[in-house]
Amino acid sequence: KLIRYLATVVHELGHAFTAGILGGRPKHITISTDTSGLAMYEPPIHWDRFRASIVSAAGYPAPAIASLAAIEAIQSGHSKAWFFFSGGTLAVAIIALIRNVWGFLWTAGAVGGAYYAARELQPELLGGIVAALAGFLAVEAFRHAFTQFSLSRFRGTHCDAEKIAMFLRLPLRATAFLHLAATTAIGAYALRQGIEPHWDEIRSTVEDLIRTS
């Protein structure tokens, strides 16, 4: 359960950073002990529905995008830099956005862990950890988006897809499906990028297991 907070933090940072990029003012992020989260932001007076929809849409794909970034870091030999960057991003989130006690404690622990890993662990082990986190984030992005799609049968859940559907006057179920499809596509591409260079090795291992069984 502890590692699942990572996907929640990344999800909420997706909302907050996108709001800031589009001219809004991120205010705070809450991370609850049940692994749910909430990002609050203040839109400017001239804010339009399209930008509000983009901010709402940014949460679920964010862990999948982080997964793809992690895979790219591994393949370019920058696993240590990925840990420093991730730790720095979380440290900025603590200072500027995260306000509740549990969110602060978990994120501070993650920053400390990332700093320790980047300083003390061997590059091969770091690469393995980054790969594991990348796969985890891709799977969690899909799981969260699929849960939203399942909930979209009902009104009043206040999920991101419901907000987008309201802003753009779209059918809720179709909006949730498109959200799921986009998140799944990014996560699947990240997993493909991570697995493809090792496909021959994986296939050889599987064939050996079949022959010996």
Side-chain angles (χ1 to χ4, degrees):
K1 186 177 179 180
L2 280 174
I3 195 64
R4 283 186 173 174
Y5 292 104
L6 177 61
T8 302
V9 172
V10 174
H11 176 113
E12 302 307 335
L13 286 175
H15 288 308
F17 286 175
T18 304
I21 289 170
L22 295 178
R25 179 190 172 196
K27 297 186 70 176
H28 66 263
I29 289 174
T30 299
I31 306 298
S32 302
T33 54
D34 63 356
T35 71
S36 65
L38 179 66
M40 299 294 294
Y41 67 92
E42 182 180 326
I45 297 174
H46 61 276
W47 195 266
D48 54 42
R49 297 185 179 203
F50 180 70
R51 276 184 284 189
S53 299
I54 292 177
V55 174
S56 293
Y60 285 105
I65 294 170
S67 172
L68 180 59
I71 294 296
E72 294 294 334
I74 296 169
Q75 294 181 347
S76 60
H78 295 123
S79 298
K80 181 176 288 192
W82 185 87
F83 267 98
F84 276 120
F85 174 79
S86 300
T89 301
L90 293 176
V92 170
I94 293 174
I95 296 169
L97 294 169
I98 296 176
R99 293 292 176 264
N100 68 312
V101 174
W102 174 245
F104 176 85
L105 290 175
W106 185 90
T107 311
V111 170
Y115 181 75
Y116 172 83
R119 286 288 304 271
E120 303 297 333
L121 300 184
Q122 296 298 317
E124 295 80 7
L125 182 55
L126 277 178
I129 294 172
V130 175
L133 289 174
F136 170 78
L137 286 171
V139 171
E140 282 294 283
F142 170 79
R143 188 178 70 84
H144 289 178
F146 185 79
T147 299
Q148 176 185 241
F149 178 68
S150 300
L151 292 174
S152 67
R153 292 175 293 177
F154 313 102
R155 291 278 178 179
T157 61
H158 304 294
C159 62
D160 293 339
E162 189 170 39
K163 296 174 185 176
I164 299 167
M166 179 186 67
F167 290 142
L168 300 181
R169 298 187 178 92
L170 297 173
L172 172 56
R173 190 74 167 163
T175 303
F177 176 78
L178 291 173
H179 214 173
L180 172 62
T183 300
T184 302
I186 297 169
Y189 180 71
L191 291 175
R192 178 180 176 275
Q193 290 293 96
I195 292 172
E196 190 173 38
H198 309 285
W199 180 246
D200 290 340
E201 181 182 340
I202 293 169
R203 184 173 58 186
S204 176
T205 302
V206 171
E207 289 173 352
D208 289 343
L209 289 172
I210 293 173
R211 281 196 298 266
T212 57
S213 62

